[in-house]
Amino acid sequence: MGDQAVTGAGDRPAPERTPDATGEDAAAAAGGAAATGGTTAAGGTTAPVGAAAPGGAAAPGPTSAGMTADGTPAAPADVSGAGMSADAAPPAPAGAPAAPGPQERTSDITAGPGGVMTDEAGVVTGDLTLRTGYADGQVTLRVQYKDADEWYAVTGGRVPLADPAALDAVHTVAVALLNRPEG
């Protein structure tokens, strides 16, 4: 026969098998209940791991591994000795290029009689400034009358660009196509 539960009257544990609320049974019950929040075998409530223990002291150990039970974001936890920190962005490897952000190149051009077609103002001619901008994987060409405040989107001048390193080449081609000082 295998192990059987020892019960007393009314299906209650026999007195010698009743969990000890202050000894090893309490520690075992609190360890299991505290991880999830709940009640101990003695009927008391427990706090989640990392919450204040009785007397106001915080329980030792990390409080988060990037997960929450109640939807409240947890603070980053230091996992010393493991070379990492929970909930933190990993550092870039040494020598790795920085993530490309918004970039732009500008050049002064002269649009000839055919001008440059824009979405907002139609055809613009004369002395202009061309701006080739890169953001969010897109190149956008814009022009403005030289030293003016308003910029106009070049019609058809927005395309995807997979490699931001190609921005200089795109700008050079755009200048070559739009700069027509001789007409």
Side-chain angles (χ1 to χ4, degrees):
M1 288 195 202
D3 291 333
Q4 293 183 349
V6 178
T7 58
D11 291 332
R12 295 202 173 168
E16 66 274 5
R17 298 295 301 156
T18 302
D20 176 15
T22 60
E24 290 178 307
D25 292 332
T36 59
T39 60
T40 64
T45 61
T46 62
V49 173
T63 60
S64 168
M67 300 178 280
T68 60
D70 62 0
T72 304
D78 180 33
V79 186
S80 299
M84 58 188 160
S85 175
D87 301 329
Q103 303 175 40
E104 59 184 45
R105 308 290 185 269
T106 59
S107 295
D108 290 334
I109 63 171
T110 301
V116 177
M117 178 60 88
T118 66
D119 293 344
E120 299 87 357
V123 176
V124 293
T125 60
D127 292 331
L128 305 172
T129 300
L130 171 68
R131 180 176 68 196
T132 306
Y134 174 82
D136 300 324
Q138 296 278 320
V139 170
T140 304
L141 300 177
R142 300 181 75 74
V143 293
Q144 73 176 159
Y145 287 105
K146 191 165 167 80
D147 300 322
D149 292 330
E150 296 177 17
W151 287 92
Y152 306 111
V154 174
T155 302
R158 182 177 181 92
V159 295
L161 182 65
D163 184 4
L167 182 63
D168 288 330
V170 172
H171 182 70
T172 300
V173 170
V175 169
L177 291 171
L178 300 176
N179 187 32
R180 298 284 179 226
E182 304 297 320

